[in-house]
Amino acid sequence: EVQLVESGGGLVQPGGSLRLSCAASGFTFIDYWMSWVRQAPGKALEWVATINKDGNQKYYVDSVKGRFTFSRDNAKNSLFLQMDSLRADDTAVYYCVSLVAGFWGQGTLVTVSS
Amino acid sequence: QAGLTQPPSVSQGLRQTATLTCTGNSNNVGYEGAAWLQQHQGHPPKTLSCRDNNRPSGISERFSASRSGNTAFLTITGLQPEDEAVYYCSAWDSSLSGWVFGGGTKLTVL
């Protein structure tokens, strides 16, 4: 069974940092490009970032470029999203996803508020 | 970044057929097709169809996807109450080097 389990969400003040993690199992992790997708309360889905199989190609939505860093550890079947200089409009549920294969995690809530 | 266009809402009767649309351009939907997702309130999205129009294991045959040019379609036959949900489309955009999503269509089963 495919599983993507996110962790690391929580409440953080504006300007602060958080590191999200995603543990993958049930599929050959190294064969897939992976992504983070977020959903602000009551809003539509928004793509955040994508990483290739090797981790040496990364793509980001304009609003997070320079603030978020996406990485992966294929030996540990894990993904990481380092989020710095957080803003109120980053508040959302963050999903770990393989958009090509259609695998979605349950999501982790990030709240940026003072 | 520009997204895909979906009608905000669609209503159709019980046991009828609904067809949802997702319009993009030659860099996204017209490039490699669109995936379709279903999301019930308070739950994560579930993939109904991948970009190649194939259904993941466990998805009902009542859901079928297709594409014509820059528009993708999701057809749902024999509508059931549990089909009430928000439906999203997504596609890789080769000019943006990123994924784009539609704004979602809320399907109401009458």
Side-chain angles (χ1 to χ4, degrees), chain A residues 39 59 61-62 100 102 104, chain B residues 1 39 44 47 51 88 97 99:
Chain A
Q39 187 171 36
Y59 306 89
V61 68
D62 286 346
V100 172
W104 287 73
Chain B
Q1 277 153 278
Q39 187 177 34
T47 300
R51 289 182 299 171
Y88 294 96
S97 292
W99 288 84

Side-chain angles (χ1 to χ4, degrees), chain B residues 5-61:
Chain B
T5 299
Q6 298 182 253
S9 62
V10 167
S11 299
Q12 194 55 275
L14 188 66
R15 293 183 294 277
Q16 299 302 303
T17 296
T19 298
L20 310 184
T21 61
C22 168
T23 302
N25 59 42
S26 59
N27 295 315
N28 42 59
V29 176
Y31 179 60
E32 288 185 331
W36 286 93
L37 313 166
Q38 177 193 59
Q39 187 177 34
H40 289 105
Q41 181 71 27
H43 292 270
K46 178 170 69 175
T47 300
L48 300 176
S49 173
C50 298
R51 289 182 299 171
D52 55 5
N53 297 333
N54 286 326
R55 282 184 302 273
S57 173
I59 300 301
S60 170
E61 292 179 352

Side-chain angles (χ1 to χ4, degrees), chain A residues 10-23:
Chain A
L11 174 63
V12 62
Q13 292 189 338
S17 297
L18 274 179
R19 180 175 166 89
L20 304 185
S21 300
C22 172

